[in-house]
Structures are given as structure tokens and as C-alpha cells.
Amino acid sequence: MIINHPLLGPRDAAEFIYLGDATLIDRPDWQAEDAAEQFYAYGYLRDNVAGPMQELWYHEQGDRSWLVVTRDTLTHEITSVELARDVARSRGRSA
Amino acid sequence: MRYSALRILKEGLTGNKGWKPVWREPDPKPEYDIIIIGGGGHGLATAYYLAKTYGIKNIAVLEKGWIGGGNVGRNTTIIRSNYMLPGNEPFYELSLKLWEGLEQDFNYNAMISQRSILNLVHSDNQRDAFIRRANAMFLAGADAEYATADQLRAELPFLDYDNARFPIKGGLFQRRGGTVRHDAVAWGFARGADSMGVDIIQNCEVTGIDVENGTCRGVQTSRGPIRARKVAMCVAGSSGRVAAMAGMRLPIESHVLQAFVTEGLKPVIPGVITFGAGHFYVSQSDKGGLVFGGDIDGYNSYAQRGNLPVVEDVAEGGMAIMPMIGRARLLRSWGGVMDMSMDGSPFIDRTDIKGLYFNGGWCYGGFKATPASGLCYAHLLAKDTPHEVATEMRLDRFISGHMIDEKGQGNQPNLH
């Protein structure tokens, strides 16, 4: 698989470390009433998408950026690559 | 029809006209006591033990494709019980004991060959860890045997003992481990279950799970609705997709694992050998091909195929311990979809929905577990209490903090 890095261009997926579903950006509020349940779901339960899935890849052997890659888990086709920072900011997660 | 040497002789003398199809192809009935979703090794074994051990025979096994077309036909056929944790080891040892009597039990030749498994050791720390594991195996009644490098040199002269980076210091044998003809496992269980009245329904995809007021009443399928008192999911690899039909999210990700076979060679590798510093395991099939594999690719996938970086990594692992295989040519490679769980261990449990049960999360160790998984799942379905060796394989263990994490990697499925 080739990941088209927004800053560095096309890179071999072997340069990256895979974390998982990009919903991991949406860390629950630790002060919420049901924080324990929310963190259980956050830490352990997965949608395990069959089809296009947003996921977090870390460019360890490159510029060490975190990327949100939209990739079809049925075909391995990659349709979009964004910096995770930009995705997190657009969701109000990061300054 | 019972298979025996006499039968072969008789059929041979009468033109082989007496052989019959090994199982029926029934149409689904409107209602069953138990529906098993998934006609793989585990689902067929569950049906077999439900009928044989627990006397429940009004069962349907629903398979979307053909039986044995999933992971039971896509693995590297290794059986062993060299686990460590108390939630796992008694279960896998029961499985190995069931393998040892399986061919007589279901009267089918599964070519079970206890040719041993050897886990190589490359450092002092690893030796200590493996000896600890051997002691844990003894506690569960399994066999284990530590061999020094000198002992191994006599038995396996082809290993690269003096490798500069990962010298081989010794290894842990489980002599009762070995390999099995994997397809025959599916066929043997299917034949056994069918002969006791279980309906094995192929080309029947489950498209919905009927839940009324928190109770499961049956399933919708591509061949119409079927009602049941109990519905048992058994679809490792597709667990997330099937469970989603009942509104469940699971502590599982689906990943792809590749496996490889070389051209046929004369006998060179006597048992199963695994690399202790990288991830590589190899055995030689009875046809002569070297059957080997390594790590999962590491990203979520349902594609049943992987990518080249892992092929390279696996090949490097093989070359690191046995350079002699470098001239063997690769004949085939393929991928299977694995239920990778959050602690690397499986689930055999009830769900929050009454009458709906779950078996899955086998990571890439499901094949060796096939008989015990079937027996324990059958026990759960028949008695509504877990079998004594499967009490820790709970779906809610991450809430209660009772993980069964053999590798101590935490909740990162692609590291197990």
C-alpha cells in the first residue's frame, strides 16, 4: 500500500505504524458522570468497519506525523490522507 | 457409513460403487432448537459435540459459502498447547487431548501427526521465560521438554546456531504438538454432525438477527427466516459484521494474516519449528511443501490478502534460523481474516441478549482450538454455564479487569 502523505507525497505503508480507528481522536471527557463506561468503550470496543474506514497511521520512519487515512478495509484502497492534527482541530480537539 | 480398512477393501472389489456423499444437503426447516451461524471448524465442532455429548440434535449450521471455506481451510495446521496463563492453558491442553482421540471419535482420517513443536530460544532471559512457561504447562497436565543447543544440534543440524544477531541457545519442545490435515477436520466434524441429524445448510447467509424485547428469536437468511430457541455466533473473522446485526460492538478488530507454501521438497523439517526472536513458524506438509507464516500485516482488513512488506519480513525470519530454505521457491501465498481481540485471547460466552451466544476472538490461534472450542461452546449452549476450562473467556472481562493477555501487550490488537 502507498500512503499519499499530505506533506511528503507517496510513501510506502511499511514506513508507518498502525494504531487503529480514527475515532480514537475523540477521547472521552474524564470528568463525565459515566466516564468509566465511556473509557471502557473507548479503550476496548471497536466498530471494526468493513468498508471505508478512517484510521490513524504514524509516520515513524519519516516525519513522525500522525495521519488520518481513509482506506477501504475490503479492498485496501486509500481514498484520502489528512494530517491528524487538522482532523483533530476541525473536531475541536486541539488548539 | 462407517469407514474402515475392511470397507475400503470391499469397495475396491466392488467397483467403488457404494460410497455415498458424506453429508446431506437439506433445506432449512422453519425452526430449530439451536442455530449455529458459521460452518467453519468451530461451528461444525460445536454442532458435533452438541449432538454427541449433550444429546441436542435439532440443530442447523448456517454457512454463507461452503463449509470449511474460511479460516479452517486457510491456516498453517499447527496443533499445540504451549500456553502459560491459567485462563488459557487448561483449555488448550483439553483441545490437544481431544485432537489425540479425534480420528477414532469421529471415524475420519484427519492425518493428525504429533511430530512435535519447537520454540527456539535466543537469549538467557528467553530461556528463563520458556522454562517458566513449561512449568505452567506441567501444571495443566501438558508435556514440555527443554533442549540445549547441543541437544538440538544433534536433532536439527540445519539450524543457524551461530547466527551473529540471534544465536540459537536452545528450545522448548512440546513433543505432542504437530500438524493436522485442516480440511479433513471440517469434513470429519460435518460428517459426524450430519450423521446424528444436524442440518448443515450451505449457501445460506444470515442477513439479520431477530431480537424481540431483549431476547433472540431467530435469524433472517438469504433462504428465508428461521426461528430458534438459541442462536450461536461462530464466525471468527467476520464477528464484527455479524454481531452488528444484533447491535453489538465487540472488543475485536479484523486483521489479515498471510501464510505461504513452497514447492514440494524431500523431507527436511521433522516437526514444527518457530523462531523466538522474530515471528516465523514452519512445518513440512506430507506432500513436501514447507508451510510457513509470520506476523499479521497489522492493519484492519477483510480482504483475505496481504501486502509485500510482511512477505519480506517472514522470509527474513525464515532465513535467520534456517538458511537452507533460501533456495526453495514459493508456490502459493494467501491471507485469512483474523478476529484480533483486545488481549489476544478468545471469547466463548453469552451476550447481553437472551438466547444469543458468542464464540470468536481467536486471533491467529483458532485452528488448534477447534475441538475444545466446539466442546466448550456446546457445553455453554446446552447448560447455560461455561465449561470448566473456559470460565475466563468472557466477553465482559475488560470491564471487570480479568484480561488473559499472554504477551502483556495491552489493548492493541495488532500487537498480539
Side-chain angles (χ1 to χ4, degrees):
Chain A
M1 288 185 294
I2 302 290
I3 293 174
N4 194 9
H5 193 296
L7 304 177
L8 303 176
R11 310 298 309 180
D12 188 338
E15 295 176 4
F16 293 79
I17 301 284
Y18 182 85
L19 184 68
D21 197 319
T23 55
L24 291 171
I25 290 172
D26 304 315
R27 197 178 175 82
D29 176 8
W30 63 277
Q31 288 179 307
E33 281 286 312
D34 59 347
E37 289 78 17
Q38 282 193 48
F39 270 98
Y40 161 64
Y42 175 81
Y44 293 104
L45 300 182
R46 295 290 178 266
D47 288 331
N48 201 14
V49 178
M53 173 178 175
Q54 285 200 310
E55 43 195 30
L56 285 164
W57 292 73
Y58 175 60
H59 199 192
E60 191 192 40
Q61 293 174 55
D63 69 347
R64 300 192 181 180
S65 57
W66 281 95
L67 303 181
V68 172
V69 176
T70 306
R71 191 183 59 97
D72 193 319
T73 59
L74 295 166
T75 63
H76 299 165
E77 185 192 7
I78 294 170
T79 47
S80 116
V81 184
E82 302 160 271
L83 288 173
R85 185 183 60 193
D86 295 343
V87 175
R89 277 182 179 157
S90 72
R91 293 183 193 174
R93 297 298 306 180
S94 150
Chain B
M1 181 199 301
R2 199 173 160 75
Y3 292 153
S4 64
L6 189 66
R7 181 89 209 179
I8 292 171
L9 191 66
K10 191 176 156 208
E11 290 295 336
L13 293 172
T14 54
N16 285 307
K17 289 181 184 133
W19 301 116
K20 298 270 188 321
V22 169
W23 52 81
R24 298 166 294 132
E25 295 201 15
D27 288 321
K29 290 190 277 186
E31 185 162 5
Y32 290 93
D33 288 340
I34 296 176
I35 285 175
I36 296 166
I37 307 175
H42 290 220
L44 294 166
T46 304
Y48 176 81
Y49 288 112
L50 269 170
K52 179 164 178 137
T53 309
Y54 299 97
I56 300 172
K57 295 174 180 174
N58 185 22
I59 304 170
V61 178
L62 307 183
E63 167 55 44
K64 138 179 112 162
W66 63 93
I67 60 164
N71 288 336
V72 72
R74 305 180 82 87
N75 56 75
T76 46
T77 80
I78 298 165
I79 58 169
R80 58 186 174 89
S81 68
N82 52 5
Y83 285 71
M84 189 172 78
L85 297 178
N88 270 338
E89 179 57 16
F91 171 86
Y92 287 104
E93 177 53 22
L94 171 65
S95 203
L96 193 52
K97 287 198 169 75
L98 290 169
W99 281 118
E100 287 173 328
L102 189 63
E103 291 168 309
Q104 285 69 33
D105 190 59
F106 65 19
N107 179 231
Y108 202 83
N109 180 12
M111 294 166 66
I112 292 164
S113 167
Q114 293 183 285
R115 54 182 71 182
S116 85
I117 180 165
L118 168 69
N119 299 132
L120 293 174
V121 163
H122 306 274
S123 69
D124 292 348
N125 298 349
Q126 196 170 29
R127 183 194 59 218
D128 293 348
F130 276 29
I131 288 174
R132 180 184 174 208
R133 177 195 298 238
N135 285 325
M137 291 163 68
F138 291 144
L139 289 175
D143 66 306
E145 178 188 322
Y146 187 79
T148 63
D150 284 342
Q151 288 168 303
L152 289 182
R153 273 178 204 271
E155 195 170 331
L156 304 163
F158 54 82
L159 295 174
D160 187 9
Y161 292 91
D162 303 316
N163 184 295
R165 181 67 183 84
F166 300 115
I168 294 168
K169 302 276 195 183
L172 185 68
F173 271 112
Q174 184 175 29
R175 298 279 183 188
R176 288 163 59 240
T179 59
V180 179
R181 169 85 202 283
H182 51 186
D183 299 314
V185 176
W187 300 334
F189 276 126
R191 172 173 169 268
D194 178 88
S195 70
M196 290 182 282
V198 173
D199 282 357
I200 296 166
I201 303 163
Q202 304 184 77
N203 299 309
C204 181
E205 180 174 3
V206 171
T207 54
I209 296 176
D210 297 332
V211 179
E212 295 167 16
N213 301 322
T215 303
C216 185
R217 303 286 185 193
V219 295
Q220 299 291 321
T221 78
S222 55
R223 297 177 66 176
I226 309 174
R227 294 177 71 81
R229 289 196 300 112
K230 294 179 179 177
V231 173
M233 292 184 267
C234 200
V235 290
S238 297
S239 292
R241 286 197 274 187
V242 174
M245 294 177 197
M248 292 169 61
R249 294 175 81 216
L250 299 172
I252 288 172
E253 291 180 1
S254 293
H255 284 257
V256 59
L257 176 70
Q258 300 187 65
F260 310 88
V261 175
T262 69
E263 60 193 331
L265 305 170
K266 287 189 175 178
V268 282
I269 297 176
V272 183
I273 300 175
T274 77
F275 187 21
H279 207 156
F280 176 82
Y281 39 89
V282 63
S283 64
Q284 188 167 18
S285 79
D286 290 341
K287 282 196 292 186
L290 304 184
V291 183
F292 60 97
D295 258 328
I296 55 174
D297 274 40
Y299 44 81
N300 285 35
S301 175
Y302 288 91
Q304 290 193 321
R305 66 171 184 276
N307 274 293
L308 289 171
V310 169
V311 180
E312 190 176 17
D313 184 65
V314 171
E316 284 171 354
M319 290 300 289
I321 52 168
M322 45 182 81
M324 72 167 179
I325 67 172
R327 299 296 289 274
R329 282 166 295 195
L330 199 64
L331 204 61
R332 300 187 284 128
S333 73
W334 65 94
V337 182
M338 310 289 123
D339 267 15
M340 296 303 296
S341 69
M342 285 289 166
D343 58 359
S345 294
F347 308 96
I348 301 175
D349 200 2
R350 287 170 289 209
T351 68
D352 290 337
I353 297 164
K354 195 166 180 297
L356 184 65
Y357 298 77
F358 183 77
N359 175 320
W362 292 97
C363 297
Y364 43 87
F367 179 71
K368 74 178 83 69
T370 304
S373 169
L375 182 69
C376 292
Y377 204 23
H379 183 101
L380 177 72
L381 286 161
K383 298 185 178 293
D384 265 312
T385 54
H387 189 282
E388 61 177 356
V389 298
T391 54
E392 295 191 27
M393 294 174 178
R394 302 278 303 269
L395 261 176
D396 65 356
R397 63 177 180 257
F398 303 107
I399 302 177
S400 60
H402 294 86
M403 290 74 159
I404 317 173
D405 193 342
E406 290 274 344
K407 283 173 79 178
Q409 296 281 24
N411 58 340
Q412 185 61 36
N414 61 357
L415 298 181
H416 287 291

